[in-house]
Amino acid sequence: MTSAERLRYLRIALVVVGLASLALYPLMLFWPSGWTWHTGHSDYQMMIVGIYATLGVFLILAARNPLAYLSLIWFTVWSSVVHGGIMAVQAVTETGQMGDLLGDVPALFLVAIVLAALTPRGEQTNAARHTVA
C-alpha cells in the first residue's frame, strides 16, 4: 500500500470512527446489552457519551489532515486498547456483562487495530508528508 493510499484509508477510518463515536448514545438505547453497563439512568453513561461525542467530532476534524493530529489518533488507539481491556476483564468477571463481549469491547479493539495499522509512523510519516505536500 502506498503512502497516499494509506493516508486516504486513514481519513476514511477517522470519519467512520468519529461517526461511530457520535452514535454511542443511540447504540446504548437500541442494544443495551452490548453497549451499556447499567440499567436505567446512569450519570456515568452520560459522561461517557459526552467524552466519546467530543472525541468523535475531533476525529472527524482530524480526517482533513491526519498528519497534524497524530497525537489524537494515537490517543484514540491506546485509550481504546486500555478501555477495551478493562471492559473485557469486567465483562468476564461481573454477572450480566457478557453481552459487552459482542458489542463495545470488540468495537474498541477494532478501532485500535484499524487506526494503528493505517497511521504512518517513522519514515512512513515523512513519506506521507511529502505525498501531501
Side-chain angles (χ1 to χ4, degrees):
M1 180 181 321
T2 68
S3 295
E5 290 171 329
R6 182 185 206 112
L7 204 54
R8 183 179 50 206
Y9 290 130
L10 177 59
R11 286 183 174 123
I12 293 167
L14 289 169
V15 170
V16 170
V17 172
L19 291 173
S21 297
L22 290 169
L24 180 59
Y25 186 68
L27 285 167
M28 289 174 146
L29 294 176
F30 295 114
W31 185 11
S33 66
W35 295 91
T36 62
W37 286 77
H38 305 284
T39 56
H41 175 75
S42 169
D43 291 333
Y44 159 79
Q45 287 175 323
M46 290 301 101
M47 287 186 280
I48 290 295
V49 166
I51 289 168
Y52 274 95
T54 304
L55 178 62
V57 169
F58 278 89
L59 290 174
I60 292 168
L61 292 173
R64 294 182 193 168
N65 184 5
L67 298 177
Y69 294 91
L70 291 174
S71 61
L72 175 67
I73 296 168
W74 285 111
F75 169 80
T76 305
V77 168
W78 287 109
S79 66
S80 295
V81 169
V82 170
H83 191 176
I86 291 168
M87 289 175 63
V89 169
Q90 291 174 338
V92 171
T93 60
E94 294 180 21
T95 306
Q97 301 299 333
M98 292 299 283
D100 290 288
L101 293 176
L102 299 174
D104 44 14
V105 171
L108 286 165
F109 287 130
L110 182 63
V111 163
I113 291 166
V114 169
L115 292 182
L118 294 174
T119 300
R121 47 196 160 287
E123 287 301 314
Q124 295 172 339
T125 304
N126 293 332
R129 286 187 206 282
H130 294 323
T131 301
V132 174

